[in-house]
Amino acid sequence: MTLDIAYIARSFTAVENRDPKADELLRRAYAETHVIPVIGLTGPAGAGKSTLLDHLAVHWAESGEHVAVIAVDPSSPYTGGAVLGDRVRMDRASGHPRVFVRSLSSRGHLGGLSRVVHDMVTVCGVLGFSRVIVETVGSGQSDIEVADLADCVVVVSVPGLGDHVQAAKAGILEIGDVYVVNKADLPDAETVVGNLLTNVGLSYPGDGGVNPSSISPRGALKSSSAQHERHGQPGVEPTYWRPPVLRVVARQGDGVPELAAACDAFLVWQHETVRDTNRRAGRVRRHLLRLAIAELSRTAGDRAQAAALDDGARALSSGRCTPDEAAMECLRALCAATLGADAGIRRD
Ligand SMILES: Nc1nc2c(ncn2[C@@H]2O[C@H](COP(=O)(O)OP(=O)(O)O)[C@@H](O)[C@H]2O)c(=O)[nH]1
Ligand SMILES: [Mg+2]
């Protein structure tokens, strides 16, 4: 099978612009029961994500897969600088007949970036791809979004940025299914590896990958319920997943086959333990919630929204209600305005 590049490019653009031409495609995509794996790559700018992704995409493509790459670019849509840079760093993947690369600016999207990426990822299956890789810059909100979007999250760290501490603060050390230390050719890479291993070990004993629960922890474990949901609970479930920590030199492609194998091993374990369907179901629900909120404020209209927020803020500052009650009042006013607008449409 060959990818219909012109059709794919047109479809992505229609989805990105919320063009009604994409509606039929979206309908088919959301109804599709055969879902393809989504790999999310996140980490600080300059960590070498694009360089790594270039090798990773080609690795899977060479094994016969059709790979879509969606790179969310942090730069301004006006300079286009980083988009061009990505094209250079992803030259192998861009030139491969079984890989399609699309860079997305992180700004200027109707309905928000996460909605666009969510829809783009979802249409990849019906466009003929067998796998998607999404790159986002690790910075709080977008980390959460990529974690929400992907079936397997790869967190990329590098020596020299002091990002271990930053990452720990941002909670990024909880979201990885696989950890990568890139630029392992640089001094201090081992320090980063050591820190990550210590951190993973606080929650999960054993070796990177699938472990039988018979491995007993030496002390109290620090894992959260979100981690249990994604990686299992040692001593409670038959197996658990300890996120591996892998050394990579993306510039040379060193460690890429091992990274691909770790992602695939995680996907297999996640499927065997039925976590994949739960993860995807949660993702669709959260996506719907975002859409519903966006739709609510859109259909209520700017004036009704401003009025509802003014009323709520006034009630709050006069001490008449709690923030929760004020929020509930805003919601009621927005719903009333939305239903009014809706009824208006129906009368026409
Ligand atoms: N020393 C070294 N540099 C690397 C390696 N991988 C990527 N780089 C460099 O790191 C810089 C940022 O890479 P890029 O892929 O654009 O990072 P991104 O911002 O995370 O996508 C580029 O100059 C790469 O050549 C590596 O393994 N070792
Ligand atoms: Mg990049």
Side-chain angles (χ1 to χ4, degrees):
M1 196 198 81
T2 50
L3 296 171
D4 183 346
I5 297 300
Y7 174 67
I8 291 166
R10 271 202 312 277
S11 302
F12 275 155
T13 303
V15 170
E16 184 176 1
N17 297 336
R18 301 192 75 176
D19 187 327
K21 281 194 209 117
D23 285 353
E24 185 48 36
L25 185 66
L26 283 168
R27 227 193 306 270
R28 266 198 295 140
Y30 277 92
E32 182 59 63
T33 48
H34 171 72
V35 282
I36 60 170
V38 181
I39 311 294
L41 236 72
T42 189
K49 297 180 296 298
S50 299
T51 314
L52 180 56
L53 203 154
D54 189 43
H55 287 272
L56 203 52
V58 170
H59 174 90
W60 275 313
E62 285 296 297
S63 66
E65 295 214 34
H66 293 84
V67 185
V69 171
I70 300 173
V72 179
D73 203 288
S75 71
S76 143
Y78 305 109
T79 66
V83 175
L84 285 177
D86 268 356
R87 214 159 288 156
V88 174
R89 276 188 276 289
M90 293 196 257
D91 59 340
R92 250 174 285 243
S94 309
H96 198 286
R98 284 193 295 278
V99 182
F100 184 89
V101 179
R102 172 57 75 101
S103 287
L104 264 183
S105 158
S106 60
R107 295 200 213 155
H109 289 104
L110 285 164
L113 177 69
S114 60
R115 188 206 66 85
V116 169
V117 180
H118 197 283
D119 284 343
M120 276 201 175
V121 162
T122 307
V123 296
C124 285
V126 291
L127 291 177
F129 294 103
S130 59
R131 189 183 296 261
V132 188
I133 313 177
V134 183
E135 173 191 341
T136 60
V137 170
S139 60
Q141 189 56 30
S142 65
D143 283 328
I144 313 287
E145 282 168 9
V146 76
D148 210 25
L149 204 77
D151 300 303
C152 174
V153 175
V154 178
V155 173
V156 183
S157 302
V158 275
L161 291 186
D163 57 305
H164 170 73
V165 181
Q166 281 163 26
K169 271 192 210 145
I172 195 175
L173 292 178
E174 281 212 356
I175 67 166
D177 301 306
V178 175
Y179 291 94
V180 162
V181 177
N182 186 33
K183 310 196 185 182
D185 54 317
L186 297 184
D188 273 355
E190 283 314 306
T191 314
V192 183
V193 170
N195 286 341
L196 284 168
L197 284 171
T198 305
N199 192 73
V200 169
L202 293 176
S203 312
Y204 292 103
D207 295 324
V210 181
N211 286 271
S213 257
S214 53
I215 293 181
S216 62
R218 261 176 286 159
L221 295 176
K222 246 185 64 178
S223 46
S224 65
S225 61
Q227 281 174 303
H228 295 160
E229 208 172 286
R230 290 170 64 171
H231 299 147
Q233 194 171 2
V236 174
E237 288 161 275
T239 58
Y240 63 90
W241 175 262
R242 169 170 152 128
V245 178
L246 305 172
R247 296 166 185 80
V248 167
V249 183
R251 218 182 237 171
Q252 282 147 33
D254 293 352
V256 169
E258 291 79 2
L259 170 59
C263 293
D264 284 333
F266 175 68
L267 291 171
V268 167
W269 176 81
Q270 185 170 241
H271 180 67
E272 281 169 1
T273 57
V274 207
R275 286 185 159 80
D276 55 347
T277 42
N278 295 340
R279 194 160 169 169
R280 288 190 191 120
R283 179 190 311 169
V284 170
R285 281 197 297 270
R286 285 185 294 275
H287 183 54
L288 277 181
L289 181 62
R290 278 194 297 267
L291 290 186
I293 293 168
E295 197 60 16
L296 188 61
S297 73
R298 190 185 66 80
T299 49
D302 289 346
R303 288 224 328 255
Q305 187 171 319
L309 293 173
D310 277 351
D311 287 349
R314 216 173 296 123
L316 202 53
S317 61
S318 70
R320 273 187 281 132
C321 60
T322 66
D324 282 346
E325 286 162 354
M328 205 57 202
E329 254 332 290
C330 285
L331 196 56
R332 272 196 206 101
L334 285 176
C335 285
T338 298
L339 292 175
D342 204 21
I345 289 165
R346 272 194 221 122
R347 268 200 305 277
D348 285 343

